[in-house]
Amino acid sequence: MRRVSLNARTAFDAATTSEVEVVLFQFEHSALPAPIRISTDPTVRLSADPLMYGTRSTWLGSNPTTEPFLFVLASAELPGDQEDAPPAAQLVLENVDNRIADQLRSVVRRATVHMAVVLASSPNDVEVEYRNLKLISSEGDAGEITLQVSRQPIEEEVVPMDRFTRDRFPGLHR
Amino acid sequence: MSVLTWPSSLPRPLRSGYQAQNADPRLRKQADAGPPGFRRRYSSVARGLSLSVVLSRSEKAQFDRFYEQDARHGSLPFWMPDPVTDGWPMLTESGAYVLTESGQPILLSKQLLCLFGDEPPVETIQGMSFTIGFSVWVMP
């Protein structure tokens, strides 16, 4: 069962509310020296030089002081529950730097993505969480880059798992 | 690299050109009928300030140099004294000055982290002085 805090439930139902919902992302990949942590809300100013905003949260054991979730110009869509389709999330990044495309093209294996929704007033309490998703595809143009995040495609699994060799299934080869 | 500082030799902004407005962090709930509703979209809210300063010819050169070269035509942030707080005397509730032991009024101090606003500065000339109108975003 999903546990949602009472404050969040009150805010969902209220006609007017001051609560801000924040989506936190954590990207993990063996090619990354440290996980990439991003947030969709400029909750606090992290530093003036360079000018950076972000959300300080203890989600997934990150240290709020040294490992904040950095604010990016992005819009996020949470995994839906459509029929006949795996739950897929979308993250639209502003294409502010060519190095974003370089980074996305440089990897072969899929990155692992964790997503969580928190309230900006209580960034340590996770309201909704999606863990161990995969970064499936990324496409973009000069303006923005769209990242598709979903589960590992089951179509890629080999069926049947075993090969029917003489060693493994001697009865077949009598 | 350190954050730029507003040139302290420039005079204080005029009262007449002063205008301040917050950015709107709300999401409006639009309905066919009935009263409007709002939700918050993001937390930290920038504040827009419209300012104007009257400068001599040499002060105008300082302003231009700060805007064009130091701030790279207004793309870099800078620290600026708050025009409605910094240097203002601290007052008691009844409006009297709060004084030090030697009888000097205590002045307030506040620095704002700013970016130049959406429009580049506008300058007009009047007699021997220049009036430069510009806007800044006060970063949250």
Side-chain angles (χ1 to χ4, degrees), chain A residues 2 5 11 15 21 50 68 71 75 80 105 139 147 154 170:
Chain A
R2 205 175 91 193
S5 74
E21 288 169 18
F71 169 59
S75 64
R105 285 185 188 140
E139 53 190 66
L147 305 181
I154 53 171

Side-chain angles (χ1 to χ4, degrees), chain A residues 94-151:
Chain A
E94 295 279 325
N95 192 0
V96 290
D97 195 333
N98 288 338
R99 283 174 295 179
I100 297 178
D102 288 349
Q103 186 73 38
L104 285 168
R105 285 185 188 140
S106 66
V107 291
V108 182
R109 282 184 295 119
R110 296 189 171 115
T112 305
V113 186
H114 308 291
M115 296 173 69
V117 178
V118 298
L119 296 183
S121 57
S122 56
N124 296 339
D125 299 336
V126 175
E127 310 292 353
V128 190
E129 199 175 27
Y130 304 91
R131 299 273 289 272
N132 293 317
L133 298 169
K134 293 288 177 189
L135 182 57
I136 297 295
S137 70
S138 62
E139 53 190 66
D141 52 24
E144 60 186 32
I145 292 174
T146 307
L147 305 181
Q148 295 280 354
V149 178
S150 183
R151 60 153 163 73

Side-chain angles (χ1 to χ4, degrees), chain A:
Chain A
M1 197 188 82
R2 205 175 91 193
R3 289 181 191 169
V4 178
S5 74
L6 203 56
N7 282 349
R9 266 192 273 173
T10 313
F12 295 154
D13 293 340
T16 57
T17 174
S18 64
E19 299 282 7
V20 183
E21 288 169 18
V22 186
V23 184
L24 305 178
F25 284 86
Q26 178 160 322
F27 290 80
E28 291 166 1
H29 195 276
S30 53
L32 289 171
I36 297 176
R37 298 180 176 84
I38 59 178
S39 159
T40 57
D41 184 60
T43 314
V44 288
R45 183 161 81 204
L46 300 172
S47 79
D49 183 22
L51 191 52
M52 281 199 302
Y53 295 86
T55 308
R56 296 187 191 276
S57 170
T58 57
W59 180 55
L60 292 179
S62 73
N63 184 340
T65 320
T66 56
E67 300 166 332
F69 291 81
L70 302 178
F71 169 59
V72 288
L73 296 167
S75 64
E77 188 185 318
L78 290 177
D81 52 354
Q82 291 178 328
E83 279 192 32
D84 302 332
Q90 253 188 16
L91 177 67
V92 182
L93 292 171
E94 295 279 325
N95 192 0
V96 290
D97 195 333
N98 288 338
R99 283 174 295 179
I100 297 178
D102 288 349
Q103 186 73 38
L104 285 168
R105 285 185 188 140
S106 66
V107 291
V108 182
R109 282 184 295 119
R110 296 189 171 115
T112 305
V113 186
H114 308 291
M115 296 173 69
V117 178
V118 298
L119 296 183
S121 57
S122 56
N124 296 339
D125 299 336
V126 175
E127 310 292 353
V128 190
E129 199 175 27
Y130 304 91
R131 299 273 289 272
N132 293 317
L133 298 169
K134 293 288 177 189
L135 182 57
I136 297 295
S137 70
S138 62
E139 53 190 66
D141 52 24
E144 60 186 32
I145 292 174
T146 307
L147 305 181
Q148 295 280 354
V149 178
S150 183
R151 60 153 163 73
Q152 186 89 27
I154 53 171
E155 296 81 8
E156 292 177 1
E157 282 182 19
V158 185
V159 177
M161 181 188 80
D162 296 316
R163 299 184 67 194
F164 289 88
T165 58
R166 191 184 294 272
D167 290 342
R168 205 167 183 104
F169 295 93
L172 275 179
H173 296 272
R174 247 206 298 242

